[in-house]
Amino acid sequence: MKKLFKFKWKKKKFTFIILEDAGRSSIQFKVMDFILYSLPIFLGLLIFSIFVLFTLHQSALLKYDRLHTTLKVSETKYTDMVTEKNQTIEDKDETIEQLQTNLMSLSEQTKEIESKLNELEKLENEIKKITGNDTTALADPSNTILEKDAVATSSVSILHKNNKLIGTGGHLVPLHNESLNDITTNTSENLISLNKNVDSLLVSLSDSKQDIVEYQQLLNITPSIWPTNHQKVTSNFGYRRDPFTNALSFHTGLDIGAFYNDPVFAAADGTISYTGYDRIYGNQITINHSRGMITRYMHLNKILVESGQQVKKGQKIGLVGSTGRSTGPHLHYEIVKNGQRQNPLDFIQ
């Protein structure tokens, strides 16, 4: 039974003989049968492998072409993006440079206007000082700032108290370079216009200051105040009955009732042109105020100034008395303009 089913592989050999030309020996070689049988399989596998490799190679070439095309497109896009980016950066740089130039110009214009505003403030302070107005708010800007803060705080409190809506919002719309340039251009034009207005205002205020100074000087040399502490008029300017003879006479000044040794004041700035005594007017003082204006102070008990002395409006120059032709202590006060005696009440404010 074992011998019946026993299979024994017998190795076979194939002999190949190669015959050459006559006179030459032949060539023969033996090949095992399994090699001969395996050769077609090997050739098939080789052909299949070559086909697979060729297919993979073609697929790789196709992918390479696609990748190369994609890379080239990407490179082109990247180059365009870089070019556009560089152009944008260049435009931004130019815009920034232009803005910086404009800002420098605006800064210089602002400084110039600030300087002129300081001149205006100084000029206004001088004008207010001349006219006697308070300049504390201008001298201390913090007062104005505090007042503004107080007003702002008060306004906010009122808004909340009245439950008014004060919120803000909206879509953000960024400004483009053209808009920024327009803003700086408009601001520059406004500053130039403002600068011209400030120049005009400076000229106008300077003229006004000069006018005020001249007017103030005119006020200083104009006898416009009461020359004593009292304003009791005991005898007016003009025709009257003489206090001694009761005859009709012309009174050349104003008699102001006062007490002995009450102060007598200069009615305006001027120079003492005469001090002395005579039997009619007693102790007397004459002040020259220029522009044809003089004042006289008579019946004094004592003279406190000297001839040639400069005096200011309101300065104490003597004491009330009753010297000369007088019925009692009083001040005889005269104003002479261009050689003509004037009614002092027309000048006293």
PDB file of all heavy atoms in Angstrom, residues 175-205:
ATOM      1  N   LEU A 175      -9.946 104.889   7.506  1.00  0.00           N
ATOM      2  CA  LEU A 175      -9.600 105.976   6.590  1.00  0.00           C
ATOM      3  C   LEU A 175      -8.516 105.518   5.628  1.00  0.00           C
ATOM      4  O   LEU A 175      -7.559 104.846   6.003  1.00  0.00           O
ATOM      5  CB  LEU A 175      -9.099 107.188   7.382  1.00  0.00           C
ATOM      6  CG  LEU A 175     -10.141 107.886   8.261  1.00  0.00           C
ATOM      7  CD1 LEU A 175      -9.480 109.025   9.023  1.00  0.00           C
ATOM      8  CD2 LEU A 175     -11.289 108.412   7.438  1.00  0.00           C
ATOM      9  N   HIS A 176      -8.682 105.870   4.354  1.00  0.00           N
ATOM     10  CA  HIS A 176      -7.679 105.559   3.351  1.00  0.00           C
ATOM     11  C   HIS A 176      -6.645 106.679   3.284  1.00  0.00           C
ATOM     12  O   HIS A 176      -6.793 107.744   3.890  1.00  0.00           O
ATOM     13  CB  HIS A 176      -8.345 105.366   1.984  1.00  0.00           C
ATOM     14  CG  HIS A 176      -9.324 104.227   1.963  1.00  0.00           C
ATOM     15  ND1 HIS A 176      -8.936 102.910   2.046  1.00  0.00           N
ATOM     16  CD2 HIS A 176     -10.686 104.220   1.893  1.00  0.00           C
ATOM     17  CE1 HIS A 176      -9.998 102.131   2.006  1.00  0.00           C
ATOM     18  NE2 HIS A 176     -11.079 102.903   1.919  1.00  0.00           N
ATOM     19  N   ASN A 177      -5.592 106.398   2.537  1.00  0.00           N
ATOM     20  CA  ASN A 177      -4.509 107.384   2.421  1.00  0.00           C
ATOM     21  C   ASN A 177      -5.016 108.709   1.875  1.00  0.00           C
ATOM     22  O   ASN A 177      -4.608 109.785   2.320  1.00  0.00           O
ATOM     23  CB  ASN A 177      -3.408 106.832   1.517  1.00  0.00           C
ATOM     24  CG  ASN A 177      -2.765 105.587   2.097  1.00  0.00           C
ATOM     25  OD1 ASN A 177      -2.866 105.340   3.297  1.00  0.00           O
ATOM     26  ND2 ASN A 177      -2.118 104.802   1.262  1.00  0.00           N
ATOM     27  N   GLU A 178      -5.927 108.613   0.874  1.00  0.00           N
ATOM     28  CA  GLU A 178      -6.464 109.842   0.290  1.00  0.00           C
ATOM     29  C   GLU A 178      -7.228 110.650   1.334  1.00  0.00           C
ATOM     30  O   GLU A 178      -7.132 111.880   1.386  1.00  0.00           O
ATOM     31  CB  GLU A 178      -7.377 109.518  -0.890  1.00  0.00           C
ATOM     32  CG  GLU A 178      -6.680 108.879  -2.084  1.00  0.00           C
ATOM     33  CD  GLU A 178      -6.398 107.400  -1.879  1.00  0.00           C
ATOM     34  OE1 GLU A 178      -6.852 106.873  -0.860  1.00  0.00           O
ATOM     35  OE2 GLU A 178      -5.744 106.799  -2.750  1.00  0.00           O
ATOM     36  N   SER A 179      -7.981 109.934   2.201  1.00  0.00           N
ATOM     37  CA  SER A 179      -8.739 110.629   3.237  1.00  0.00           C
ATOM     38  C   SER A 179      -7.812 111.309   4.230  1.00  0.00           C
ATOM     39  O   SER A 179      -8.040 112.452   4.648  1.00  0.00           O
ATOM     40  CB  SER A 179      -9.651 109.637   3.962  1.00  0.00           C
ATOM     41  OG  SER A 179     -10.560 109.043   3.057  1.00  0.00           O
ATOM     42  N   LEU A 180      -6.741 110.586   4.613  1.00  0.00           N
ATOM     43  CA  LEU A 180      -5.773 111.180   5.536  1.00  0.00           C
ATOM     44  C   LEU A 180      -5.112 112.408   4.926  1.00  0.00           C
ATOM     45  O   LEU A 180      -4.930 113.436   5.591  1.00  0.00           O
ATOM     46  CB  LEU A 180      -4.717 110.146   5.912  1.00  0.00           C
ATOM     47  CG  LEU A 180      -5.188 108.972   6.781  1.00  0.00           C
ATOM     48  CD1 LEU A 180      -4.066 107.967   6.964  1.00  0.00           C
ATOM     49  CD2 LEU A 180      -5.676 109.453   8.128  1.00  0.00           C
ATOM     50  N   ASN A 181      -4.752 112.304   3.650  1.00  0.00           N
ATOM     51  CA  ASN A 181      -4.153 113.460   2.974  1.00  0.00           C
ATOM     52  C   ASN A 181      -5.132 114.621   2.900  1.00  0.00           C
ATOM     53  O   ASN A 181      -4.754 115.786   3.074  1.00  0.00           O
ATOM     54  CB  ASN A 181      -3.703 113.058   1.570  1.00  0.00           C
ATOM     55  CG  ASN A 181      -2.475 112.165   1.588  1.00  0.00           C
ATOM     56  OD1 ASN A 181      -1.646 112.270   2.486  1.00  0.00           O
ATOM     57  ND2 ASN A 181      -2.376 111.282   0.615  1.00  0.00           N
ATOM     58  N   ASP A 182      -6.428 114.299   2.636  1.00  0.00           N
ATOM     59  CA  ASP A 182      -7.444 115.358   2.594  1.00  0.00           C
ATOM     60  C   ASP A 182      -7.573 116.028   3.956  1.00  0.00           C
ATOM     61  O   ASP A 182      -7.702 117.255   4.056  1.00  0.00           O
ATOM     62  CB  ASP A 182      -8.798 114.774   2.162  1.00  0.00           C
ATOM     63  CG  ASP A 182      -8.795 114.359   0.698  1.00  0.00           C
ATOM     64  OD1 ASP A 182      -7.915 114.849  -0.045  1.00  0.00           O
ATOM     65  OD2 ASP A 182      -9.649 113.555   0.307  1.00  0.00           O
ATOM     66  N   ILE A 183      -7.550 115.203   5.017  1.00  0.00           N
ATOM     67  CA  ILE A 183      -7.684 115.760   6.371  1.00  0.00           C
ATOM     68  C   ILE A 183      -6.525 116.691   6.683  1.00  0.00           C
ATOM     69  O   ILE A 183      -6.711 117.815   7.176  1.00  0.00           O
ATOM     70  CB  ILE A 183      -7.762 114.621   7.407  1.00  0.00           C
ATOM     71  CG1 ILE A 183      -9.090 113.864   7.260  1.00  0.00           C
ATOM     72  CG2 ILE A 183      -7.628 115.172   8.828  1.00  0.00           C
ATOM     73  CD1 ILE A 183      -9.180 112.643   8.140  1.00  0.00           C
ATOM     74  N   THR A 184      -5.290 116.227   6.404  1.00  0.00           N
ATOM     75  CA  THR A 184      -4.129 117.071   6.700  1.00  0.00           C
ATOM     76  C   THR A 184      -4.126 118.323   5.834  1.00  0.00           C
ATOM     77  O   THR A 184      -3.767 119.411   6.294  1.00  0.00           O
ATOM     78  CB  THR A 184      -2.832 116.285   6.475  1.00  0.00           C
ATOM     79  OG1 THR A 184      -2.842 115.736   5.143  1.00  0.00           O
ATOM     80  CG2 THR A 184      -2.699 115.154   7.463  1.00  0.00           C
ATOM     81  N   THR A 185      -4.548 118.168   4.561  1.00  0.00           N
ATOM     82  CA  THR A 185      -4.599 119.335   3.675  1.00  0.00           C
ATOM     83  C   THR A 185      -5.617 120.346   4.183  1.00  0.00           C
ATOM     84  O   THR A 185      -5.340 121.553   4.258  1.00  0.00           O
ATOM     85  CB  THR A 185      -4.952 118.899   2.242  1.00  0.00           C
ATOM     86  OG1 THR A 185      -3.965 117.984   1.772  1.00  0.00           O
ATOM     87  CG2 THR A 185      -5.000 120.104   1.318  1.00  0.00           C
ATOM     88  N   ASN A 186      -6.817 119.863   4.546  1.00  0.00           N
ATOM     89  CA  ASN A 186      -7.857 120.760   5.049  1.00  0.00           C
ATOM     90  C   ASN A 186      -7.424 121.414   6.355  1.00  0.00           C
ATOM     91  O   ASN A 186      -7.660 122.608   6.582  1.00  0.00           O
ATOM     92  CB  ASN A 186      -9.160 119.989   5.257  1.00  0.00           C
ATOM     93  CG  ASN A 186      -9.777 119.525   3.943  1.00  0.00           C
ATOM     94  OD1 ASN A 186      -9.531 120.127   2.896  1.00  0.00           O
ATOM     95  ND2 ASN A 186     -10.566 118.464   3.983  1.00  0.00           N
ATOM     96  N   THR A 187      -6.797 120.600   7.230  1.00  0.00           N
ATOM     97  CA  THR A 187      -6.320 121.157   8.505  1.00  0.00           C
ATOM     98  C   THR A 187      -5.270 122.224   8.260  1.00  0.00           C
ATOM     99  O   THR A 187      -5.269 123.279   8.908  1.00  0.00           O
ATOM    100  CB  THR A 187      -5.740 120.035   9.378  1.00  0.00           C
ATOM    101  OG1 THR A 187      -6.724 119.016   9.566  1.00  0.00           O
ATOM    102  CG2 THR A 187      -5.323 120.586  10.742  1.00  0.00           C
ATOM    103  N   SER A 188      -4.364 121.953   7.325  1.00  0.00           N
ATOM    104  CA  SER A 188      -3.321 122.934   6.999  1.00  0.00           C
ATOM    105  C   SER A 188      -3.946 124.214   6.459  1.00  0.00           C
ATOM    106  O   SER A 188      -3.549 125.324   6.850  1.00  0.00           O
ATOM    107  CB  SER A 188      -2.353 122.339   5.976  1.00  0.00           C
ATOM    108  OG  SER A 188      -1.366 123.278   5.631  1.00  0.00           O
ATOM    109  N   GLU A 189      -4.933 124.076   5.559  1.00  0.00           N
ATOM    110  CA  GLU A 189      -5.596 125.267   5.015  1.00  0.00           C
ATOM    111  C   GLU A 189      -6.321 126.037   6.114  1.00  0.00           C
ATOM    112  O   GLU A 189      -6.285 127.273   6.144  1.00  0.00           O
ATOM    113  CB  GLU A 189      -6.575 124.842   3.927  1.00  0.00           C
ATOM    114  CG  GLU A 189      -5.895 124.295   2.663  1.00  0.00           C
ATOM    115  CD  GLU A 189      -6.887 123.793   1.643  1.00  0.00           C
ATOM    116  OE1 GLU A 189      -8.101 123.760   1.975  1.00  0.00           O
ATOM    117  OE2 GLU A 189      -6.470 123.422   0.524  1.00  0.00           O
ATOM    118  N   ASN A 190      -6.976 125.297   7.038  1.00  0.00           N
ATOM    119  CA  ASN A 190      -7.664 125.967   8.147  1.00  0.00           C
ATOM    120  C   ASN A 190      -6.684 126.698   9.050  1.00  0.00           C
ATOM    121  O   ASN A 190      -6.959 127.809   9.529  1.00  0.00           O
ATOM    122  CB  ASN A 190      -8.457 124.937   8.961  1.00  0.00           C
ATOM    123  CG  ASN A 190      -9.634 124.370   8.193  1.00  0.00           C
ATOM    124  OD1 ASN A 190     -10.143 125.026   7.273  1.00  0.00           O
ATOM    125  ND2 ASN A 190     -10.069 123.182   8.531  1.00  0.00           N
ATOM    126  N   LEU A 191      -5.516 126.053   9.300  1.00  0.00           N
ATOM    127  CA  LEU A 191      -4.511 126.706  10.136  1.00  0.00           C
ATOM    128  C   LEU A 191      -3.947 127.952   9.461  1.00  0.00           C
ATOM    129  O   LEU A 191      -3.684 128.960  10.118  1.00  0.00           O
ATOM    130  CB  LEU A 191      -3.381 125.728  10.450  1.00  0.00           C
ATOM    131  CG  LEU A 191      -3.695 124.627  11.470  1.00  0.00           C
ATOM    132  CD1 LEU A 191      -2.522 123.682  11.615  1.00  0.00           C
ATOM    133  CD2 LEU A 191      -4.062 125.227  12.813  1.00  0.00           C
ATOM    134  N   ILE A 192      -3.758 127.864   8.148  1.00  0.00           N
ATOM    135  CA  ILE A 192      -3.272 129.033   7.413  1.00  0.00           C
ATOM    136  C   ILE A 192      -4.284 130.166   7.510  1.00  0.00           C
ATOM    137  O   ILE A 192      -3.928 131.326   7.759  1.00  0.00           O
ATOM    138  CB  ILE A 192      -3.008 128.663   5.940  1.00  0.00           C
ATOM    139  CG1 ILE A 192      -1.808 127.719   5.840  1.00  0.00           C
ATOM    140  CG2 ILE A 192      -2.745 129.913   5.110  1.00  0.00           C
ATOM    141  CD1 ILE A 192      -1.561 127.183   4.442  1.00  0.00           C
ATOM    142  N   SER A 193      -5.577 129.833   7.321  1.00  0.00           N
ATOM    143  CA  SER A 193      -6.631 130.844   7.440  1.00  0.00           C
ATOM    144  C   SER A 193      -6.682 131.406   8.848  1.00  0.00           C
ATOM    145  O   SER A 193      -6.810 132.619   9.052  1.00  0.00           O
ATOM    146  CB  SER A 193      -7.975 130.221   7.054  1.00  0.00           C
ATOM    147  OG  SER A 193      -9.027 131.148   7.230  1.00  0.00           O
ATOM    148  N   LEU A 194      -6.582 130.490   9.847  1.00  0.00           N
ATOM    149  CA  LEU A 194      -6.595 130.932  11.242  1.00  0.00           C
ATOM    150  C   LEU A 194      -5.393 131.819  11.535  1.00  0.00           C
ATOM    151  O   LEU A 194      -5.508 132.815  12.261  1.00  0.00           O
ATOM    152  CB  LEU A 194      -6.592 129.712  12.159  1.00  0.00           C
ATOM    153  CG  LEU A 194      -6.575 129.984  13.676  1.00  0.00           C
ATOM    154  CD1 LEU A 194      -7.800 130.799  14.080  1.00  0.00           C
ATOM    155  CD2 LEU A 194      -6.514 128.688  14.449  1.00  0.00           C
ATOM    156  N   ASN A 195      -4.250 131.459  10.973  1.00  0.00           N
ATOM    157  CA  ASN A 195      -3.043 132.257  11.180  1.00  0.00           C
ATOM    158  C   ASN A 195      -3.230 133.668  10.641  1.00  0.00           C
ATOM    159  O   ASN A 195      -2.828 134.652  11.271  1.00  0.00           O
ATOM    160  CB  ASN A 195      -1.862 131.567  10.494  1.00  0.00           C
ATOM    161  CG  ASN A 195      -0.534 132.081  10.993  1.00  0.00           C
ATOM    162  OD1 ASN A 195      -0.461 132.811  11.971  1.00  0.00           O
ATOM    163  ND2 ASN A 195       0.527 131.717  10.319  1.00  0.00           N
ATOM    164  N   LYS A 196      -3.847 133.782   9.460  1.00  0.00           N
ATOM    165  CA  LYS A 196      -4.116 135.101   8.894  1.00  0.00           C
ATOM    166  C   LYS A 196      -5.075 135.883   9.787  1.00  0.00           C
ATOM    167  O   LYS A 196      -4.899 137.084  10.011  1.00  0.00           O
ATOM    168  CB  LYS A 196      -4.689 134.945   7.491  1.00  0.00           C
ATOM    169  CG  LYS A 196      -3.699 134.407   6.469  1.00  0.00           C
ATOM    170  CD  LYS A 196      -4.332 134.285   5.099  1.00  0.00           C
ATOM    171  CE  LYS A 196      -3.341 133.746   4.072  1.00  0.00           C
ATOM    172  NZ  LYS A 196      -3.952 133.594   2.731  1.00  0.00           N
ATOM    173  N   ASN A 197      -6.108 135.175  10.303  1.00  0.00           N
ATOM    174  CA  ASN A 197      -7.068 135.845  11.189  1.00  0.00           C
ATOM    175  C   ASN A 197      -6.387 136.319  12.464  1.00  0.00           C
ATOM    176  O   ASN A 197      -6.686 137.402  12.974  1.00  0.00           O
ATOM    177  CB  ASN A 197      -8.217 134.896  11.527  1.00  0.00           C
ATOM    178  CG  ASN A 197      -9.091 134.603  10.327  1.00  0.00           C
ATOM    179  OD1 ASN A 197      -9.142 135.387   9.385  1.00  0.00           O
ATOM    180  ND2 ASN A 197      -9.766 133.462  10.334  1.00  0.00           N
ATOM    181  N   VAL A 198      -5.467 135.470  12.982  1.00  0.00           N
ATOM    182  CA  VAL A 198      -4.746 135.857  14.194  1.00  0.00           C
ATOM    183  C   VAL A 198      -3.863 137.071  13.917  1.00  0.00           C
ATOM    184  O   VAL A 198      -3.775 137.989  14.739  1.00  0.00           O
ATOM    185  CB  VAL A 198      -3.909 134.671  14.717  1.00  0.00           C
ATOM    186  CG1 VAL A 198      -2.982 135.120  15.839  1.00  0.00           C
ATOM    187  CG2 VAL A 198      -4.816 133.564  15.227  1.00  0.00           C
ATOM    188  N   ASP A 199      -3.211 137.076  12.744  1.00  0.00           N
ATOM    189  CA  ASP A 199      -2.395 138.246  12.371  1.00  0.00           C
ATOM    190  C   ASP A 199      -3.248 139.505  12.315  1.00  0.00           C
ATOM    191  O   ASP A 199      -2.856 140.560  12.832  1.00  0.00           O
ATOM    192  CB  ASP A 199      -1.732 138.005  11.017  1.00  0.00           C
ATOM    193  CG  ASP A 199      -0.613 136.987  11.094  1.00  0.00           C
ATOM    194  OD1 ASP A 199      -0.069 136.820  12.201  1.00  0.00           O
ATOM    195  OD2 ASP A 199      -0.282 136.381  10.063  1.00  0.00           O
ATOM    196  N   SER A 200      -4.412 139.376  11.696  1.00  0.00           N
ATOM    197  CA  SER A 200      -5.313 140.516  11.597  1.00  0.00           C
ATOM    198  C   SER A 200      -5.784 140.960  12.973  1.00  0.00           C
ATOM    199  O   SER A 200      -5.851 142.164  13.272  1.00  0.00           O
ATOM    200  CB  SER A 200      -6.511 140.150  10.717  1.00  0.00           C
ATOM    201  OG  SER A 200      -7.442 141.209  10.664  1.00  0.00           O
ATOM    202  N   LEU A 201      -6.088 139.954  13.819  1.00  0.00           N
ATOM    203  CA  LEU A 201      -6.543 140.275  15.164  1.00  0.00           C
ATOM    204  C   LEU A 201      -5.433 140.923  15.984  1.00  0.00           C
ATOM    205  O   LEU A 201      -5.683 141.835  16.780  1.00  0.00           O
ATOM    206  CB  LEU A 201      -7.032 139.004  15.862  1.00  0.00           C
ATOM    207  CG  LEU A 201      -7.642 139.171  17.259  1.00  0.00           C
ATOM    208  CD1 LEU A 201      -8.831 140.130  17.220  1.00  0.00           C
ATOM    209  CD2 LEU A 201      -8.076 137.826  17.817  1.00  0.00           C
ATOM    210  N   LEU A 202      -4.191 140.445  15.775  1.00  0.00           N
ATOM    211  CA  LEU A 202      -3.064 141.046  16.480  1.00  0.00           C
ATOM    212  C   LEU A 202      -2.899 142.517  16.107  1.00  0.00           C
ATOM    213  O   LEU A 202      -2.689 143.376  16.974  1.00  0.00           O
ATOM    214  CB  LEU A 202      -1.778 140.286  16.147  1.00  0.00           C
ATOM    215  CG  LEU A 202      -1.420 139.099  17.033  1.00  0.00           C
ATOM    216  CD1 LEU A 202      -0.213 138.365  16.462  1.00  0.00           C
ATOM    217  CD2 LEU A 202      -1.143 139.542  18.452  1.00  0.00           C
ATOM    218  N   VAL A 203      -3.015 142.802  14.817  1.00  0.00           N
ATOM    219  CA  VAL A 203      -2.909 144.189  14.360  1.00  0.00           C
ATOM    220  C   VAL A 203      -4.040 145.016  14.955  1.00  0.00           C
ATOM    221  O   VAL A 203      -3.825 146.136  15.463  1.00  0.00           O
ATOM    222  CB  VAL A 203      -2.947 144.251  12.819  1.00  0.00           C
ATOM    223  CG1 VAL A 203      -3.005 145.697  12.349  1.00  0.00           C
ATOM    224  CG2 VAL A 203      -1.724 143.560  12.236  1.00  0.00           C
ATOM    225  N   SER A 204      -5.261 144.441  14.916  1.00  0.00           N
ATOM    226  CA  SER A 204      -6.422 145.160  15.437  1.00  0.00           C
ATOM    227  C   SER A 204      -6.286 145.421  16.932  1.00  0.00           C
ATOM    228  O   SER A 204      -6.537 146.537  17.406  1.00  0.00           O
ATOM    229  CB  SER A 204      -7.693 144.348  15.160  1.00  0.00           C
ATOM    230  OG  SER A 204      -8.827 144.992  15.709  1.00  0.00           O
ATOM    231  N   LEU A 205      -5.851 144.371  17.689  1.00  0.00           N
ATOM    232  CA  LEU A 205      -5.701 144.542  19.132  1.00  0.00           C
ATOM    233  C   LEU A 205      -4.557 145.497  19.460  1.00  0.00           C
ATOM    234  O   LEU A 205      -4.626 146.253  20.433  1.00  0.00           O
ATOM    235  CB  LEU A 205      -5.459 143.186  19.791  1.00  0.00           C
ATOM    236  CG  LEU A 205      -6.700 142.300  19.982  1.00  0.00           C
ATOM    237  CD1 LEU A 205      -6.312 140.975  20.600  1.00  0.00           C
ATOM    238  CD2 LEU A 205      -7.737 142.986  20.850  1.00  0.00           C
TER     239      LEU A 205
END
